[in-house]
Structures are given as structure tokens and as C-alpha cells.
């Protein structure tokens, strides 16, 4: 398998940012991936004592399709977040100051309108990632599996609907499921695949238009008997990965 795309999502529910290369760290997500989130006003999230919470507590595409209309960019060197709405002036604010985070929260709350509950907060907690599963991991999708779904339904599906970190080519459909429980080499890193990704209504949202114009979870169940696309993997040994690198089972796995 060959790495075709690498993405991080600095703010949960907002824009994917493409990377040519990245360095993985054992037991961690991609750097800056799901680092920030908009916690709804009724969310019991405490930045001083962060614990994993389900995505419904935060701004997310599953519940807030209109977030797809925002274009965001995060600069980790300065901590600046830029958000451009479909209409009106963009926002440029610091994620490192209380005033900046309040400004971002106010901007996103106003954009969500009635979908904002209470007084939302723009939150970050050092060492915490606002991922869909409690484990810190990397998400991987085989593009041939996505193409198999597209062929069944006769519709192009933007890979970014599925918000994975790594997209790979060069395998049979669903080959990534065969890696479950195995260790793999990804560029200069070693990972262990531990779970299939169950798709949710977030994948119904067109990342360009914010319209719910597809039903991937339903279609996966109808045509393949499951609602899964992609796998989660934990980083065992860190290292550099880049577009063009290979993903393959370790030699010890091949000997089994």
C-alpha cells in the first residue's frame, strides 16, 4: 500500500489540513490533530482534568453540518487560528490567550446559531485530543475500499467526508481489515492496527457544500453488511512518514 494523502484536523469538525510529511510519536495522534474543539455550553469538559467525551458534546459535523462551510487554518508556530465564513469578514485570533479563545468561541457560536447550546467554549487541554475514540491513534483508509462503495452506489464520495489521517492506495477493497491486530510499518514508524472505524452521520455531509447528500453508513450496511470504512492504529515506534511511503505488515507478521 502507498500513502497518497496525510491530513490533520486541528479543530474538531473544521477544515482538513494536508501534509507532505509528519513525524509520529509513540502513543500519540498526529501532531495538532483534533487539538482544539468547541465544547457546547452543557458539555462537562474540564480542561484542567480532561477526559474523553462523545462527539455530541462538541461542535461536530455529525450534528452541525454547517461547519463544513467554514474554512479554517491553524499555524502551530504562532498559535493563530484563521476562520473564513462563506459570507462576512474572516476571523484571525490567538488560541494561546483567554481573549483569543473567547473570540473564537463567540465567532463559532454565532455561526452555529440555534445549534449552539448555552455558552460554548473553545477548549484545549495539553496532551488531550478530541478524537472520536478514547485511544490516541491514527486513522487509515484504503482508497480501494472507498472506490468499492462508490461503484456500488454510482456516486463520487469525497474522501474527506471520512476525515481520516492517512489515505493509502494499492490494495484490494477492505484489505485494511485484514491488518486488524497486526503490526505494520508506515514510513519510518511502526503501528498496531486495533479497530475498524464505524462510520457515523458525519459522512453524510458534503465537505464542499455542507449538504447531507449521501448516506455512507446506510449504503455500507446495505452493500457490504457492515458500516465500517478504515481502521484505527496506535503508534508503537515513532518516525517520519511522508506521501509516497509504503504501508505494509512487519516481517514478523508476514512469517505467521
Amino acid at each position: 500500500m502507498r500513502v497518497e494523502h496525510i491530513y490533520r484536523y486541528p479543530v474538531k469538525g473544521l477544515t482538513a489540513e494536508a501534509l507532505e510529511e509528519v513525524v509520529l510519536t509513540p502513543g500519540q495522534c498526529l501532531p495538532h490533530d483534533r487539538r482544539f474543539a468547541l465544547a457546547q455550553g452543557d458539555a462537562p469538559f474540564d480542561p484542567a482534568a480532561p477526559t474523553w467525551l462523545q462527539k455530541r458534546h462538541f461542535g461536530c459535523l455529525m450534528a452541525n453540518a454547517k461547519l463544513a462551510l467554514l474554512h479554517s487554518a491553524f499555524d502551530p508556530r504562532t498559535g493563530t487560528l484563521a476562520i473564513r465564513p462563506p459570507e462576512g469578514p474572516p476571523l484571525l485570533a490567538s488560541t494561546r490567550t483567554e481573549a483569543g479563545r473567547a473570540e473564537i468561541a463567540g465567532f463559532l457560536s454565532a455561526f452555529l446559531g440555534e445549534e449552539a447550546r448555552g455558552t460554548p467554549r473553545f477548549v484545549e487541554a495539553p496532551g488531550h485530543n478530541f478524537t472520536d475514540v478514547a485511544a490516541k491513534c491514527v486513522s487509515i483508509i484504503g482508497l480501494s475500499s472507498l472506490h468499492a462503495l462508490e461503484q456500488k452506489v454510482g456516486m463520487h464520495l469525497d474522501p474527506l467526508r471520512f476525515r481520516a489521517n492517512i489515505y493509502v492506495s494499492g490494495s484490494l477493497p477492505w484489505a485494511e481489515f485484514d491488518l486488524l491486530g497486526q503490526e505494520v510499518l508506515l514510513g519510518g514508524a511502526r503501528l498496531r492496527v486495533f479497530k475498524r472505524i464505524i462510520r457515523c452521520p458525519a459522512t453524510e455531509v458534503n465537505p464542499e457544500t455542507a449538504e447531507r447528500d449521501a448516506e455512507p453508513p446506510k449504503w455500507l450496511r446495505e452493500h457490504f453488511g457492515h458500516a465500517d470504512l478504515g481502521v484505527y492504529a496506535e503508534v508503537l515506534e515513532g518516525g517520519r512518514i511522508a506521501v509516497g511511503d509504503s504501508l505494509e505488515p512487519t516481517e514478523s507478521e508476514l512469517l505467521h
Side-chain angles (χ1 to χ4, degrees), residues 95-212:
T95 62
R96 296 178 179 172
T97 66
E98 188 172 340
R101 291 189 295 270
E103 193 176 356
I104 296 168
F107 182 93
L108 292 174
S109 300
F111 185 76
L112 286 177
E114 293 181 354
E115 293 179 11
R117 304 195 302 268
T119 305
R121 298 166 293 147
F122 187 74
V123 291
E124 172 192 17
H128 184 77
N129 300 85
F130 296 94
T131 47
D132 288 349
V133 291
K136 292 191 177 186
C137 55
V138 172
S139 55
I140 303 169
I141 284 180
L143 289 168
S144 60
S145 303
L146 175 56
H147 297 331
L149 176 60
E150 289 177 319
Q151 289 170 358
K152 286 291 187 183
V153 301
M155 176 182 176
H156 169 69
L157 296 169
D158 188 329
L160 287 178
R161 285 180 184 265
F162 302 91
R163 298 179 70 78
N165 296 127
I166 297 162
Y167 292 85
V168 296
S169 63
S171 65
L172 293 172
W174 318 112
E176 59 269 34
F177 292 168
D178 296 334
L179 299 174
L180 205 63
Q182 295 189 31
E183 293 183 10
V184 297
L185 298 176
L186 175 63
R190 184 168 62 90
L191 298 82
R192 184 182 70 87
V193 178
F194 69 90
K195 183 180 175 63
R196 287 160 53 152
I197 303 175
I198 303 171
R199 308 319 315 200
C200 79
T203 61
E204 298 172 356
V205 180
N206 186 315
E208 292 294 325
T209 67
E211 296 294 325
R212 292 190 184 273

Side-chain angles (χ1 to χ4, degrees), residues 13-52:
L14 295 188
T15 303
E17 297 185 356
L19 304 170
E20 287 297 315
E21 62 179 46
V22 69
V23 176
L24 298 183
T25 301
Q28 299 296 322
C29 301
L30 255 69
H32 311 295
D33 189 47
R34 277 84 171 186
R35 176 175 167 178
F36 306 99
L38 183 72
Q40 292 281 16
D42 55 6
F45 183 77
D46 181 1
T51 56
W52 181 82

